Amino acid sequence: AQTVTQSQPEMSVQEAETVTLSCTYDTSESDYYLFWYKQPPSRQMILVIRQEAYKQQNATENRFSVNFQKAAKSFSLKISDSQLGDAAMYFCAYRILIQGAQKLVFGQGTRLTINP
Amino acid sequence: KAGVTQTPRYLIKTRGQQVTLSCSPISGHRSVSWYQQTPGQGLQFLFEYFSETQRNKGNFPGRFSGRQFSNSRSEMNVSTLELGDSALYLCASSQDRYKTDTEAFFGQGTRLTVV
């Protein structure tokens, strides 16, 4: 099965604090990449961070980092020093090549609210 | 470099009509993918086009079709619209379809409402 599960439909955090969004996935493919996308009210999906599945080292992009547990098929996103501009829907996804085509499989999303 | 451009931004159609959405990828990008986003089903893969050929299609009925032109611009068409087709349709372009790490850049989407 090709699925991504985000178990937290909504999360909220105080400005300047840290929040972790959870994600688990299922794929039988061996070659895949994992992504977190952010979708603000403007609707445009913006790449936050990506992780190569064959790398054990967790990716970091400024205030954003991931905790990648390949055996558990878990890929959580940690946002440090939360800012008001971080408020958005966050989607976890993986990308595979299947039947000669590339495809992103998304979770249902987590709506993140930042409280001032 | 201009981003991915989707037109129109909003559409209202009546059941039974057909609609065509357009996507202009980032210059130099040859892969264009389409996704449907609804509150109930989330983001679902529609199809991918590369070099004017549809490479794969998601689990959607034949009413959903598309094409890609020689300049990589893509259109998707939905015929005989149903209320359930109301959604945000997102287009994503990427440079290289052969690598899973290639970043996909998304447009702002077309919000289709079927009444």
Side-chain angles (χ1 to χ4, degrees):
Chain A
Q2 296 174 4
T3 58
V4 177
T5 302
Q6 294 180 247
S7 58
Q8 307 147 316
E10 296 184 355
M11 292 278 287
S12 65
V13 65
Q14 290 297 125
E15 192 176 3
E17 293 190 346
T18 296
V19 63
T20 298
L21 309 183
S22 65
C23 171
T24 58
Y25 62 94
D26 188 20
T27 178
S28 57
E29 302 293 321
S30 57
D31 182 19
Y32 57 91
Y33 248 76
L34 294 155
F35 302 88
W36 276 97
Y37 280 92
K38 166 184 175 181
Q39 187 179 41
S42 68
R43 308 181 326 206
Q44 186 158 17
M45 299 283 274
I46 301 165
L47 179 65
V48 174
I49 195 166
R50 58 183 166 187
Q51 171 77 42
E52 302 169 62
Y54 58 87
K55 279 192 178 178
Q56 288 191 326
Q57 186 174 3
N58 291 324
T60 300
E61 286 285 342
N62 300 314
R63 298 182 294 108
F64 299 87
S65 62
V66 299
N67 182 3
F68 175 46
Q69 303 290 328
K70 188 170 184 177
K73 293 185 177 176
S74 170
F75 183 59
S76 62
L77 173 70
K78 185 170 83 170
I79 306 174
S80 304
D81 186 26
S82 298
Q83 300 175 0
L84 295 178
D86 295 333
M89 281 289 287
Y90 284 81
F91 292 93
C92 175
Y94 66 78
R95 184 187 185 94
I96 52 174
L97 283 174
I98 188 165
Q99 297 178 349
Q102 59 180 320
K103 174 181 176 180
L104 277 164
V105 179
F106 287 91
Q108 292 283 62
T110 296
R111 182 174 301 282
L112 179 64
T113 302
I114 312 295
N115 300 313
Chain B
K1 212 179 220 185
V4 179
T5 303
Q6 290 188 247
T7 56
R9 293 287 307 277
Y10 300 90
L11 266 177
I12 300 176
K13 290 286 188 179
T14 305
R15 270 183 303 176
Q17 287 187 313
Q18 75 164 15
V19 67
T20 299
L21 313 182
S22 178
C23 172
S24 293
I26 291 172
S27 178
H29 286 192
R30 294 194 295 161
S31 171
V32 175
S33 300
W34 289 87
Y35 294 83
Q36 181 196 63
Q37 185 176 16
T38 60
Q41 299 297 318
L43 280 146
Q44 293 189 290
F45 172 78
L46 274 159
F47 27 62
E48 185 212 4
Y49 283 88
F50 185 84
S51 293
E52 302 176 59
T53 302
Q54 186 182 96
R55 300 295 172 164
N56 194 17
K57 186 175 179 181
N59 189 24
F60 282 85
R63 300 184 298 105
F64 290 81
S65 64
R67 59 179 175 168
Q68 186 180 35
F69 302 94
S70 59
N71 62 357
S72 294
R73 188 177 71 88
S74 177
E75 289 181 347
M76 66 163 281
N77 184 76
V78 188
S79 62
T80 318
L81 283 165
E82 300 177 0
L83 295 179
D85 298 332
S86 296
L88 178 66
Y89 290 87
L90 290 167
C91 165
S93 81
S94 57
Q95 190 168 31
D96 185 346
R97 60 185 297 273
Y98 298 108
K99 299 177 184 176
T100 50
D101 66 336
T102 303
E103 181 176 347
F105 294 84
F106 285 83
Q108 289 189 285
T110 294
R111 170 77 67 191
L112 171 64
T113 302
V114 182
V115 298

